[in-house]
Amino acid sequence: MPTPEFSVAMPSNIDRELKQHLVRKDDQEDVCLATYAISRGRDRTTALIRRIFLPARGERHVHGNAAFTGDYVIRVAQEAASRGEGLVLLHSHPGGRTWQGLSSTDRETESGYSGVARAVTKLPVVGMTIAGESGAWSARFWISRSESLDAEAVRVVGDQLIQSFNPGRRVAPLATESQRRTVSAWGELVQADFARTRVLVVGLGSVGLDVAQRLAASGVQSIGLMDFDAVEVHNLDRMIGATRTDARIGRTKVEVARRLLLAQATASSPDIRSHEMSICDPDGLAVALDYDVVFSCVDRPWARAVLNQIAYSDLIPVIDGGINIETTEDGRMRSATARAHTLVPGQPCMV
């Protein structure tokens, strides 16, 4: 049975507020509590940080290893339960730089409070650590008082997408010889995070198919392809790479796209997944919630509405793009407009 997948996401304004409290100028550890809502995909469960509850006077102790008080935990757990949310225990490691493990003291603290909070909220407790030197987050889900499972990543969504990856659960792929020019453009660290970001392309027409192939050629290791349609003769002038045979036998667009991506991928072990379904179906929506970034290459209003929603409700950045061409009544082209629009909290939605 595969290990359950977990992640954490938060908007950039919550990330800033947490860092202002947890990363102290005197280099001591600190703690605070927050609440989360669940975003449940097909394979991955994500905790969406909703509200921060800073400690009131006497609700936490700062003395080397910072500590919560029981009253503080119960107060916020009850608040979380009243909203149908779960509890998040957060603390800082002042000298940390990367994904942080738990000391025996940290583990004992989180384990001790996880049972109490779970009894109140009926949801797993999420423990989080911030590395004070770099601002990188790490996280784990306490599925019982004695067992925790590490998250695979924590993403902060705002003007920038900043992800902290668990090196044990989401390994950085080694750059290949075919990626030399790409790596030289933005460096090894950016390429490592770019390559292990899970990207879904929804809609495999002329725009979506090209976007997907460029992602594969640039080294993205895990790419999902979603479309419910098949190749037809009238698609061939727009789906570069599809063949007359594909159209004659009605081969699905996701099948054709996967073939093209595998031929062009520069990752050493590309993971190209086909999802022959609509984003408007419950199964399609569940699949989308397993990805870190979604490219919207659709031209139908219902599909765009669903993608617009998950960008804000589930904190998955959606990059919407397309080309609109208008013609005159006598068949001449009047104008052509191309647009790319990133949907994230703090930025305008599609509407």
Side-chain angles (χ1 to χ4, degrees):
M1 184 174 179
T3 302
E5 296 180 359
F6 296 103
S7 69
V8 176
M10 69 183 87
S12 57
N13 63 312
I14 285 183
D15 172 67
R16 285 192 299 270
E17 187 176 349
L18 286 171
K19 287 176 178 175
Q20 287 172 359
H21 173 76
L22 292 170
V23 182
R24 298 166 58 105
K25 293 181 179 179
D26 61 8
D27 290 332
Q28 288 204 77
E29 291 188 7
D30 212 330
V31 297
C32 70
L33 299 175
T35 64
Y36 76 89
I38 286 181
S39 170
R40 186 169 282 114
R42 186 181 65 178
D43 299 320
R44 183 178 72 180
T45 298
T46 300
L48 307 170
I49 309 299
R50 290 290 196 228
R51 297 169 184 83
I52 302 170
F53 293 83
L54 297 179
R57 183 182 295 274
E59 286 191 326
R60 66 54 159 107
H61 307 293
V62 180
H63 48 77
N65 286 328
F68 309 92
T69 65
D71 289 344
Y72 182 24
V73 173
I74 293 297
R75 173 173 73 87
V76 181
Q78 290 175 337
E79 181 68 28
S82 71
R83 300 172 182 270
E85 298 175 348
L87 183 70
V88 188
L89 307 170
L90 303 106
H91 73 280
S92 56
H93 283 177
R97 293 195 59 81
T98 57
W99 189 276
Q100 299 291 292
L102 286 179
S103 67
S104 58
T105 301
D106 293 339
R107 179 168 292 278
E108 183 178 347
T109 298
E110 289 191 2
S111 172
Y113 285 127
S114 66
V116 175
R118 186 184 179 94
V120 175
T121 66
K122 313 303 181 188
L123 291 169
V125 167
V126 174
M128 296 189 70
T129 311
I130 186 168
E133 288 293 320
S134 66
W137 288 101
S138 52
R140 56 233 145 247
F141 283 62
W142 287 90
I143 59 176
S144 71
R145 181 168 179 174
S146 60
E147 184 180 5
S148 66
L149 293 175
D150 279 351
E152 60 178 18
V154 177
R155 66 181 181 271
V156 176
V157 181
D159 291 342
Q160 291 182 300
L161 171 62
I162 301 173
Q163 298 194 93
S164 304
F165 292 106
N166 181 340
R169 300 294 303 277
R170 194 89 74 88
V171 180
L174 295 175
T176 65
E177 181 65 22
S178 300
Q179 297 164 10
R180 178 186 296 181
R181 296 293 296 273
T182 300
V183 174
S184 69
W186 55 26
E188 294 179 359
L189 295 179
V190 170
Q191 178 67 16
D193 285 350
F194 174 71
R196 57 182 158 171
T197 296
R198 292 177 181 164
V199 182
L200 175 67
V201 180
V202 182
L204 297 170
S206 56
V207 175
L209 185 60
D210 188 61
V211 167
Q213 290 181 80
R214 293 307 94 210
L215 290 168
S218 299
V220 176
Q221 183 167 261
S222 180
I223 301 173
L225 305 166
M226 184 178 291
D227 202 308
F228 60 87
D229 209 353
V231 178
E232 299 181 59
V233 172
H234 66 264
N235 299 140
L236 293 179
D237 62 342
R238 307 181 72 180
M239 292 189 67
I240 305 302
T243 67
R244 292 183 178 85
T245 299
D246 294 328
R248 186 176 68 252
I249 66 176
R251 191 167 276 135
T252 64
K253 288 184 177 180
V254 293
E255 187 179 358
V256 171
R258 187 173 188 273
R259 181 187 73 211
L260 296 172
L261 264 63
L262 287 174
Q264 298 181 38
T266 62
S268 57
S269 301
D271 179 17
I272 312 299
R273 302 191 180 190
S274 301
H275 306 292
E276 188 184 349
M277 55 186 66
S278 168
I279 189 67
C280 298
D281 294 336
D283 288 345
L285 174 59
V287 164
L289 299 183
D290 287 341
Y291 287 86
D292 305 319
V293 174
V294 176
F295 278 85
S296 166
C297 303
V298 298
D299 56 7
R300 301 186 184 188
W302 284 113
R304 289 167 63 83
V306 173
L307 291 165
N308 190 65
Q309 179 69 24
I310 68 172
Y312 301 96
S313 63
D314 298 277
L315 299 181
I316 298 174
V318 173
I319 302 172
D320 177 59
I323 302 169
N324 180 60
I325 299 176
E326 296 184 358
T327 59
T328 61
E329 291 183 359
D330 60 359
R332 291 179 296 173
M333 188 173 76
R334 174 184 289 122
S335 63
T337 305
R339 188 190 73 167
H341 180 196
T342 302
L343 312 175
V344 292
Q347 296 294 326
C349 72
M350 287 187 189
V351 176

